[in-house]
């Protein structure tokens, strides 16, 4: 009997840093360490991501299959998927396809659908996508053999809309460092683009309030892509306007000049910054998982996150949940930052629970359930 042969949608992995890319690479790294009778066909774009090439090197079960499917979230991509995927299924004798985007292709084999979050169904929808996604997602959830989500929060949201959805939680996973790095504890860190859902305004408000109360507070460093600089400057200007509003006498806005920006860091640079952190501030109002939280935990860095959020679940005992709408509570946590050092052992322990091998086994289990359902029909 030949091995299980799975096609994995990898054309969205094109070398551009993103949480989805980091998650896929971590899962594939974990699968390399799992003794399973399977073969993966990584269906990538015309120019394979160098990280995918490196993962396939020396791994006989993995094979890169370049396709003419582009990475961007466009109608052209969806059309090429619909046209090319059935032929790829036949050509490579696939038993199962793992897909991570909408629309879900119609194939003659079971398809697992990965949903990173449900932002386009709520107040943080992305333009025209939010007008189209509900109907398309309903069709996809009904057709998918299994729906894979990264956290219990996304599963609960999905089941609230579609109670009969066949959902598996497969968290992201990252390889643990060989040894915890030396911890400098020189700054607080925020990672990500200044999108409204990321609540950078709350982080700035909390830090500036704390800085007004404690002169020796570690600085705040914001790590973001290079193309986010203009949006960050607008966010800072708005924060200063709010701090100058009538009734605000704490002078907090003046401290925003002390915030440092680090733009365009690669993975190594971001790890080095996190290793210097007292804590990661992660106030986002909507995350499917929150990859920066896991990146921080694996370095022993505690995570401050909103109560009940996906990133608070990721952090577990290695984090401190805080009220999402109370910047003064976040400020108090920063002022008393010495207390956060007690969370560092729990942060490392939680990272071990969410390592790449555990995540890959959960992913493999979802594929097996998808095939079992199909065989039982």
């Amino acid at each position: 009997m030949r091995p299980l042969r799975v096609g994995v949608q990898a054309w969205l992995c094109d070398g551009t840093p993103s949480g989805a890319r980091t998650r896929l690479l971590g899962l594939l790294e974990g699968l390399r360490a799992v003794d399973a009778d399977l073969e993966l066909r990584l269906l990538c774009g015309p120019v394979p991501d160098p990280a995918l090439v490196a993962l396939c090197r020396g791994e006989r079960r993995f094979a890169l299959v370049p396709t003419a499917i582009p990475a961007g979230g466009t109608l052209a991509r969806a059309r090429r998927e619909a046209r090319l995927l059935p032929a790829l299924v036949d050509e490579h004798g696939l038993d199962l396809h793992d897909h991570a985007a909408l629309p879900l292709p119609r194939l003659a084999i079971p398809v697992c659908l990965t949903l990173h979050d449900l932002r386009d169904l709520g107040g943080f929808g992305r333009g025209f996508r939010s007008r189209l996604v509900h109907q398309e997602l309903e069709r996809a959830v009904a057709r998918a053999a299994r729906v894979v989500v990264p956290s219990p929060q996304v599963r609960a949201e999905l089941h609230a809309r579609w109670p009969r959805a066949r959902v598996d939680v497969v968290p992201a996973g990252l390889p643990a460092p060989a040894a915890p790095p030396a911890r400098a504890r020189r700054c607080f860190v925020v990672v990500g683009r200044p999108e409204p859902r990321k609540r950078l305004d709350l982080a700035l408000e909390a830090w500036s309030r704390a800085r007004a109360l404690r002169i020796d507070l570690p600085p705040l460093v914001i790590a973001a892509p290079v193309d986010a600089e203009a949006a960050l400057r607008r966010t800072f200007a708005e924060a200063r306007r709010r701090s100058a509003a009538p009734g605000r006498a704490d002078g907090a806005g003046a401290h925003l000049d002390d915030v440092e920006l680090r733009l365009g860091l690669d993975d190594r640079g971001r790890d080095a910054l996190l290793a210097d952190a007292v804590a990661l501030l992660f106030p986002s109002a909507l995350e499917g998982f929150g990859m920066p939280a896991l990146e921080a935990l694996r370095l022993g860095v505690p995570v401050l996150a909103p109560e009940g959020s996906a990133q608070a679940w990721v952090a577990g005992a290695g984090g401190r949940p805080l009220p999402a709408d109370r910047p003064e509570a976040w400020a108090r946590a920063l002022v008393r930052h010495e207390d956060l050092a007690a969370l560092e052992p729990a942060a490392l322990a939680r990272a071990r629970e969410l390592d790449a091998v555990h995540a890959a086994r959960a992913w493999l289990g979802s594929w097996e359930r998808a095939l079992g359902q199909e065989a039982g029909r």
Side-chain angles (χ1 to χ4, degrees), residues 67-150:
T67 74
I69 302 174
T74 64
L75 184 59
R77 190 204 76 218
R79 285 173 172 166
R80 288 197 191 181
E81 287 173 356
R83 188 173 76 250
L84 298 179
L85 274 175
L88 288 167
V89 166
D90 291 341
E91 180 183 351
H92 294 278
L94 300 182
D95 303 305
L96 176 81
H97 177 61
D98 190 276
H99 204 73
L102 294 176
L104 191 70
R106 292 183 179 275
L107 300 175
I109 58 173
V111 180
C112 288
L113 169 66
T114 293
L115 294 175
H116 298 287
D117 56 54
L118 300 181
R119 79 178 81 170
D120 290 313
L121 296 180
F124 298 103
R126 292 165 287 186
F128 76 94
R129 292 172 61 99
S130 58
R131 297 194 295 272
L132 302 175
V133 74
H134 187 280
Q135 186 177 20
E136 190 57 53
L137 184 54
E138 186 171 30
R139 285 196 292 261
V141 167
R143 288 209 318 269
R146 304 297 295 183
V147 179
V148 171
V149 299

Side-chain angles (χ1 to χ4, degrees), residues 167-320:
V167 186
D168 295 319
V169 174
V170 177
L174 293 174
R183 300 272 286 108
R185 303 180 184 87
R186 285 193 285 248
C187 59
F188 298 107
V189 173
V190 174
V191 176
R193 291 181 174 276
E195 304 171 24
R197 70 184 177 96
K198 295 293 187 180
R199 292 302 313 276
L200 180 57
D201 58 331
L202 189 150
L204 292 173
E205 173 79 5
W207 185 84
S208 58
R209 283 179 181 234
R211 180 67 173 74
L213 294 170
R214 182 170 174 176
I215 191 68
D216 64 340
L217 195 72
L220 178 66
V221 179
I222 298 173
V226 172
D227 62 2
E229 183 173 9
L232 281 168
R233 301 295 180 191
R234 289 193 295 271
T235 301
F236 274 61
E238 179 58 31
R240 289 189 179 91
R241 280 194 293 273
R242 285 196 306 272
S243 69
R248 285 293 300 271
D250 55 16
H255 300 302
L256 295 178
D257 293 332
D258 299 331
V259 177
E260 181 182 347
L261 302 184
R262 300 273 187 93
L263 302 176
L265 293 178
D266 59 14
D267 291 346
R268 184 175 298 179
R270 190 170 59 253
D271 278 355
L273 174 60
L274 284 170
D276 276 350
V278 176
L280 173 73
L281 277 66
F282 204 162
S284 179
L286 189 153
E287 295 291 332
F289 182 80
M291 188 62 74
L294 182 53
E295 292 171 333
L297 295 173
R298 65 193 288 271
L299 300 174
V301 179
V303 178
L304 306 184
E307 294 171 336
S309 64
Q311 63 267 36
W313 172 78
V314 171
R320 177 164 296 173

Side-chain angles (χ1 to χ4, degrees), residues 23-35 55 61-62 173-175 355-361 363:
R23 180 178 185 275
L24 176 59
L25 294 175
L27 287 169
L28 293 173
E29 183 68 39
L31 275 180
R32 284 172 59 98
V34 174
D35 183 16
L55 275 170
R61 299 174 300 168
F62 292 10
L174 293 174
D355 73 2
V357 175
H358 283 85
R361 287 185 176 134
W363 200 25

